[in-house]
């Protein structure tokens, strides 16, 4: 049954922990089909099963693959990437001759490049990343956002931002050097339009009937709300010539009043019935840029003259479910974690923006930073690192709810030297939350800074274990923090923090604001019973009646 979060216009279904989900339970769905930070979606239809993968950026394990039968209810399969290669941007998943491939760009300490990983089954194991540019001469163009298509000649091709393309070897592991070409020139965005920049990127090619359809994002990923858009081209050959659609831009944001901003990276996909088609893309939700770019899905129509366009330009309008199947798996991604099972990759990931040395990689494999313990009860123990959230590689997860709270019990196993805490983490320069040490000092994190508060009223000098609650609510998004010694009686921390600007336009990195935990200093910190609950968003109102 559908519930209301922000009024009648913004109604979603409700899943685990009261999370908003796209399936309304009445034969309709509402965007986002994947709430939260799931940008640059790449979708693969494999028989009657769909797979979806997104950019994972600085979080490892990365490239989490999800599966669905109806394009709406998604469940996690595995994290395909565990080996650090840098910040992982827009991937592309495909299947060729029985083998699965994920192509993706990575920005590490060295030159930018594109990689490919492969597997015989989606569940893995997935191969180590293979550098597509390793065998190429210095200076060979290395553009982001690779996508894969089989041409009319049966050869394999990779399109990249720019919008360029090149031939791949038959095994898909190398670039044929002499084949790098420009596919289409940038579309001239009118001077009167308000955009972040030209930024042609995210080329996605799909073959439907006699045509190859090339979708290209332009306008900039973030910036002004009307920036990102999707342009469509068609050709009967991957080599062109490419015709520009008369319906361009086929996806765009008309004004800041629209519910979804900067929509782009559109990929066509055949529906479950084999007749209908959809486009999967991403966008920022108005008032909720902190959630990152969320995955959207809209039905399209193929026109009599061979083009495609959205059936409804308002992508917030509920649409018929692509497939009605009462036996299908439901959207079942729960965020509460008692640490009785290993949810690393599927839920949790370490933020890691600094390239580890070979020695650090070897040490991490030999002795992982985390371990699970069963006694005295299920828990996660993290080895300390750094001095605070900025350099401790916090352990975080994504959320797609407008309002929520997370609680966790934190115990310092080495109270003389360890620090533990809970945060809303964007990146190493922007985070907010609370931490504490074993000397009676509470630590407030705000604007990416650490403020030590000795002898604070919320803790005592002998506090070694503390419950922390983070509550995210209101518009603009505001963080309220609480502490407790027993998880029953809570004391509110006196400062509330406006975190609505903790997003890409203020802090770069294309990420989202994520709940998380951290262990800093020296020694180890134990974490128990992370609980997550989505809330009905409240209005920010100061009611003075009865106070004076």
């Amino acid at each position: 049954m559908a519930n209301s979060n922000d009024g009648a216009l913004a109604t979603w279904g409700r899943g685990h922990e009261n999370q908003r989900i796209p399936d309304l339970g009445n034969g309709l769905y509402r965007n986002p089909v994947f709430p939260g930070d799931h940008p640059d979606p790449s979708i693969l239809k494999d028989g009657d099963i769909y797979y979806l993968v997104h950019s994972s950026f600085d979080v490892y394990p990365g490239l989490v693959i999800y599966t669905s039968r109806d394009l709406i209810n998604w469940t996690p399969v595995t994290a395909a990437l565990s080996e650090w290669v840098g910040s992982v941007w827009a991937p592309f998943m495909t299947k060729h001759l029985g083998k699965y491939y994920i192509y993706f760009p990575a920005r590490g300490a060295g030159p930018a490049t594109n990689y490919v990983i492969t597997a015989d089954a989606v569940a893995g194991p997935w191969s180590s990343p293979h550098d597509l540019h390793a065998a190429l001469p210095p200076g060979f163009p290395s553009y982001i956002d690779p996508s894969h298509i089989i041409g009319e000649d049966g050869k394999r091709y990779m399109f990249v931002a720019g919008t360029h393309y090149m031939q791949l070897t038959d095994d898909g592991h190398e670039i044929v050097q002499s084949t790098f070409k420009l596919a289409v020139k940038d579309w001239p965005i009118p001077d009167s339009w308000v955009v972040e920049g030209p930024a042609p990127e995210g080329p996605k090619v799909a073959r439907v009937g006699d045509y190859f359809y090339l979708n290209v994002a332009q306008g900039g990923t973030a910036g002004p709300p009307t920036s990102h858009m999707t342009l469509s081209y068609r050709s009967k050959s991957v080599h062109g010539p490419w015709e520009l659609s008369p319906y361009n831009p086929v996806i765009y944001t008309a004004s800041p009043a629209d519910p979804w901003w900067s929509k782009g990276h559109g990929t066509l996909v055949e529906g479950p019935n084999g007749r209908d088609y959809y486009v999967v893309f991403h966008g920022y939700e108005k008032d909720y840029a902190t959630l990152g770019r969320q995955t959207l899905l809209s039905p399209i129509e193929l026109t009599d003259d061979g083009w495609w366009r959205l059936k409804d330009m308002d992508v917030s309008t509920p649409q018929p479910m692509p497939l009605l199947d009462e036996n299908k798996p439901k959207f079942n991604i729960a965020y509460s974690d008692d640490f009785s099972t290993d949810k690393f990759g599927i839920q949790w990931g370490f933020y890691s923006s600094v390239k580890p040395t070979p020695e650090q990689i070897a040490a991490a494999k030999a002795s992982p930073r985390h371990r699970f313990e069963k006694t005295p009860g299920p828990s996660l123990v993290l080895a300390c690192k750094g001095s605070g959230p900025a350099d401790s590689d916090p352990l975080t997860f994504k959320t797609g709810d407008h309002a929520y709270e997370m609680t966790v019990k934190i115990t310092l196993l080495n109270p003389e030297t360890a620090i533990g805490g809970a945060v809303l983490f964007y990146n190493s320069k922007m985070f907010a939350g609370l931490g504490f040490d074993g000397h009676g000092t509470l630590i407030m994190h705000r604007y990416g800074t650490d403020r030590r508060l000795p002898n604070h009223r919320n803790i005592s000098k002998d506090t070694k274990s503390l419950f922390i609650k983070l509550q995210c609510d209101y518009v603009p998004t505001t963080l309220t923090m609480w502490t407790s010694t027993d998880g029953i009686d809570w004391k509110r921390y006196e400062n509330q923090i406006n975190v609505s600007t903790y997003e890409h336009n203020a802090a770069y990195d294309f990420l989202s604001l994520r709940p998380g935990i951290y262990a800093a200093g020296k020694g180890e910190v134990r974490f128990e019973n992370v609980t997550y609950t989505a809330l009905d968003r409240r209005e920010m109102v100061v009611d003075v009646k009865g106070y004076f």
Side-chain angles (χ1 to χ4, degrees), residues 270-315:
E270 183 183 78
N273 64 14
R275 300 183 303 274
D276 297 330
Y277 278 84
Y278 296 81
V279 58
V280 59
F281 53 108
H282 69 216
Y284 283 103
E285 191 171 9
K286 182 178 183 289
D287 295 328
Y288 298 100
T290 56
L291 294 179
R293 293 166 292 166
Q294 305 181 58
T295 299
L296 312 173
L297 180 87
S298 288
I300 68 168
E301 61 179 353
L302 296 172
T303 64
D304 292 339
D305 54 353
W307 295 100
W308 72 267
R309 61 185 178 186
L310 295 185
K311 287 187 176 181
D312 189 341
M313 291 301 293
D314 182 357
V315 302

Side-chain angles (χ1 to χ4, degrees), residues 41-53 65-71 74 92-101 122 148 205-208 267-278 280 297 322-323:
S42 172
I43 192 164
L44 168 66
K45 185 179 185 184
D46 185 17
D48 59 356
I49 299 175
Y50 295 92
Y51 297 106
L52 190 65
V53 66
I65 302 171
Y66 301 89
T67 187
S68 173
R69 290 185 178 273
D70 65 359
L71 292 168
W74 295 93
F92 189 89
M93 185 174 181
T94 189
K95 183 181 183 183
H96 184 63
L97 298 179
K99 186 179 289 288
Y100 296 92
Y101 298 76
V122 172
H148 175 278
V205 186
R207 193 170 191 177
V208 180
T267 303
L268 298 184
V269 62
E270 183 183 78
N273 64 14
R275 300 183 303 274
D276 297 330
Y277 278 84
Y278 296 81
V280 59
L297 180 87
L323 175 68

Side-chain angles (χ1 to χ4, degrees), residues 399-413:
T399 176
D401 292 304
H402 292 167
Y404 60 89
E405 67 179 30
M406 180 194 78
T407 65
V408 59
K409 181 181 179 182
I410 305 173
T411 302
L412 308 178
L413 299 184

Side-chain angles (χ1 to χ4, degrees), residues 280-357:
V280 59
F281 53 108
H282 69 216
Y284 283 103
E285 191 171 9
K286 182 178 183 289
D287 295 328
Y288 298 100
T290 56
L291 294 179
R293 293 166 292 166
Q294 305 181 58
T295 299
L296 312 173
L297 180 87
S298 288
I300 68 168
E301 61 179 353
L302 296 172
T303 64
D304 292 339
D305 54 353
W307 295 100
W308 72 267
R309 61 185 178 186
L310 295 185
K311 287 187 176 181
D312 189 341
M313 291 301 293
D314 182 357
V315 302
S316 66
T317 303
Q319 298 289 341
M321 290 283 292
L323 175 68
L324 292 175
D325 180 4
E326 291 299 324
N327 297 318
K328 66 181 178 296
K330 298 295 185 182
F331 205 108
N332 69 345
I333 303 171
Y335 298 141
S336 296
D337 193 356
D338 65 1
F339 300 115
S340 61
T341 60
D342 185 350
K343 295 170 68 177
F344 269 65
I346 295 299
Q347 174 179 341
W348 297 98
F350 284 110
Y351 172 88
S352 180
S353 64
V354 179
K355 181 178 181 179
T357 64

Side-chain angles (χ1 to χ4, degrees), residues 140 156-158 160 164-168 175-176 179-180:
F140 188 92
R156 305 176 69 167
Y157 294 90
M158 185 169 75
V160 293
H164 298 82
Y165 76 109
M166 63 207 79
Q167 186 179 331
L168 297 174
I175 295 169
V176 179
T179 59
F180 185 83

Side-chain angles (χ1 to χ4, degrees), residues 154-290:
K155 298 294 185 181
R156 305 176 69 167
Y157 294 90
M158 185 169 75
F159 282 70
V160 293
T163 299
H164 298 82
Y165 76 109
M166 63 207 79
Q167 186 179 331
L168 297 174
T169 54
D170 290 345
D171 64 2
H173 278 68
E174 308 293 341
I175 295 169
V176 179
Q177 295 185 25
S178 61
T179 59
F180 185 83
K181 299 176 183 178
L182 180 69
V184 297
K185 295 181 180 179
D186 298 2
W187 185 66
I189 299 173
D191 289 343
S192 60
W193 292 17
V194 182
V195 299
E196 188 179 38
E201 60 183 19
K204 310 294 183 185
V205 186
R207 193 170 191 177
V208 180
D210 295 332
Y211 286 104
F212 292 93
Y213 291 92
L214 168 63
N215 297 330
V216 179
Q218 276 195 230
T221 299
T226 53
S227 292
H228 218 30
M229 65 189 77
T230 296
L231 306 167
S232 184
Y233 303 80
R234 74 178 184 188
S235 173
K236 292 188 175 182
S237 168
V238 293
H239 304 290
W242 294 95
E243 303 174 73
L244 187 66
S245 172
Y247 301 102
N248 278 331
V250 287
I251 303 173
Y252 68 99
T253 300
S255 83
D258 288 1
W260 291 96
W261 292 1
S262 286
K263 302 185 289 288
H265 277 250
T267 303
L268 298 184
V269 62
E270 183 183 78
N273 64 14
R275 300 183 303 274
D276 297 330
Y277 278 84
Y278 296 81
V279 58
V280 59
F281 53 108
H282 69 216
Y284 283 103
E285 191 171 9
K286 182 178 183 289
D287 295 328
Y288 298 100
T290 56

